[in-house]
Amino acid sequence: DRYTALPCFAGIMAAVFFLTFHVIGASLQSVLEVLIGKLTELVDSAMTAWGVNPVLHSLVIDGIFNGVGSVLSFLPIIVTLFFFLSILEDTGYMARVAFVMDKLLRKIGLSGRSIVPLLIGFGCSVPAIMATRTVSSDRDRKMTILLTPYMSCSAKIPIYGFFTAAFFLPRYKALVMISLYVLGIVVGILAALVMKGTAFRGKPVPFVMELPNYRLPGLKNVAQLLWEKARDFLQRAFTIIFGATIVIWFLQNFDLHLSLTADPQTSILARIAGDIAPLFAPLGFADWRISTALISGFMAKESVVSSLLVLFGSTAALTAAL
């Protein structure tokens, strides 16, 4: 129905986000955080008992477990979100969403074909941009690519989770997370309107699509998608984020003479960040540790949270600084 399609879609997506960030995903995240914490304590005690070199001890506990472990705790949220999205895709509902959204997207200069890449953008911008190959019009494809980053991908979940934990009460967590996602969509719409009247003048191509029948979702298809998303996230966690965490730990614990230092203020990182911190002072980021974490975000948005935890030493210290 043309009057109920969009409200139903909005309601379904709101329910998906609520279950992901406030019920199922949040509960699984809490369990994983406890398990990571227990494992960290176990490894810490074992290394202390064995008399492991303090440098290696700090690297494993402060660098790897506190840095990468904090990002891994968001894996249940990502898996839960894509569990619901894959069910909607496999039932044939998402194809109908593309058909229904065509009229609405045309008002901002896109066709219904763009809805699929934009929705994939909520998971990861890279496959979303690759998915724009299905958009036949060169104009529509380029415009969709430019708008995809406005969709909040899974890499931003740790950042959003940090915002909600630092600035809002726990009972508002789901509302804040949904609001951040909506804000990204609103900004994307405003950007599309500007592009439509400037660099991408003209009309989108007509949208023709065969709607599949409704069907029960296949367990194999859902499981395959979940595995792919979990694997992609874990690969980033143990490659880019892991590397960034090790580099930051090294720069924080050694001075310019490559000697181990107990005072972070004399470290290589403090020297580098101290020189660039004034650039962020007008934004309120004069703290060298925050400036450093922002720079690490150029490599991966997920690494910002792990970098802050490594630099501040603990979640409590980070929260107090805010």
Side-chain angles (χ1 to χ4, degrees):
D1 189 279
R2 60 179 180 176
Y3 298 109
T4 59
L6 292 180
C8 286
F9 175 62
I12 290 173
M13 296 309 298
V16 167
F17 288 141
F18 176 77
L19 291 173
T20 299
F21 300 115
H22 196 65
V23 184
I24 301 175
S27 300
L28 294 175
Q29 182 186 26
S30 299
V31 173
L32 185 57
E33 287 177 343
V34 172
L35 293 177
I36 292 176
K38 294 293 183 182
L39 180 60
T40 303
E41 294 176 2
L42 181 63
V43 174
D44 189 12
S45 301
M47 297 184 74
T48 302
W50 292 339
V52 175
N53 185 284
V55 176
L56 180 59
H57 191 163
S58 175
L59 170 62
V60 174
I61 301 302
D62 300 329
I64 299 175
F65 276 91
N66 289 341
V68 179
S70 63
V71 177
L72 285 181
S73 64
F74 291 93
L75 180 61
I77 289 182
I78 295 172
V79 172
T80 303
L81 176 61
F82 274 96
F83 171 74
F84 290 115
L85 291 180
S86 60
I87 288 178
L88 294 176
E89 175 70 28
D90 213 35
T91 57
Y93 178 73
M94 296 307 291
R96 285 164 172 77
V97 169
F99 179 77
V100 171
M101 293 295 292
D102 180 67
K103 183 177 180 181
L104 184 61
L105 288 176
R106 285 184 178 279
K107 294 182 180 180
I108 62 173
L110 295 173
S111 69
R113 293 185 182 276
S114 298
I115 190 62
V116 175
L118 292 176
L119 288 176
I120 295 175
F122 285 105
C124 182
S125 298
V126 175
I129 292 175
M130 293 176 63
T132 58
R133 289 178 294 183
T134 60
V135 181
S136 57
S137 168
D138 184 66
R139 171 196 173 276
D140 294 359
R141 182 169 58 254
K142 291 180 178 178
M143 191 171 175
T144 305
I145 290 174
L146 292 175
L147 293 176
T148 297
Y150 290 104
M151 305 300 109
S152 299
C153 66
S154 60
K156 297 177 183 176
I157 293 179
I159 309 301
Y160 290 173
F162 173 71
F163 283 165
T164 58
F167 301 112
F168 300 92
L169 295 175
R171 64 173 179 269
Y172 298 127
K173 183 176 181 179
L175 179 61
V176 173
M177 294 288 277
I178 293 173
S179 299
L180 290 171
Y181 270 76
V182 173
L183 179 61
I185 296 172
V186 171
V187 174
I189 292 174
L190 295 177
L193 293 174
V194 173
M195 294 178 189
K196 177 184 176 182
T198 54
F200 295 94
R201 295 179 181 273
K203 295 182 179 181
V205 298
F207 178 57
V208 179
M209 182 178 185
E210 182 179 352
L211 296 179
N213 295 326
Y214 278 116
R215 58 184 182 273
L216 290 175
L219 179 60
K220 181 179 180 180
N221 295 335
V222 174
Q224 182 177 1
L225 180 60
L226 292 182
W227 164 244
E228 290 176 354
K229 296 304 177 184
R231 182 189 59 194
D232 292 343
F233 183 79
L234 290 173
Q235 285 177 345
R236 289 200 301 270
F238 286 103
T239 52
I240 299 176
I241 300 174
F242 180 81
T245 300
I246 298 301
V247 170
I248 291 172
W249 171 87
F250 174 81
L251 295 176
Q252 183 189 14
N253 286 274
F254 289 85
D255 59 22
L256 293 174
H257 302 286
L258 299 182
S259 300
L260 188 65
T261 176
D263 184 8
Q265 295 292 338
T266 63
S267 65
I268 301 174
L269 190 60
R271 178 64 181 271
I272 297 174
D275 293 337
I276 63 174
L279 298 176
F280 297 101
L283 300 175
F285 303 145
D287 192 310
W288 65 274
R289 295 168 294 186
I290 297 179
S291 300
T292 303
L294 288 175
I295 293 174
S296 69
F298 282 102
M299 295 182 290
K301 293 181 285 293
E302 308 96 313
S303 67
V304 172
V305 175
S306 61
S307 299
L308 287 171
L309 288 171
V310 171
L311 294 172
F312 280 88
S314 66
T315 304
L318 175 57
T319 305
L322 297 175

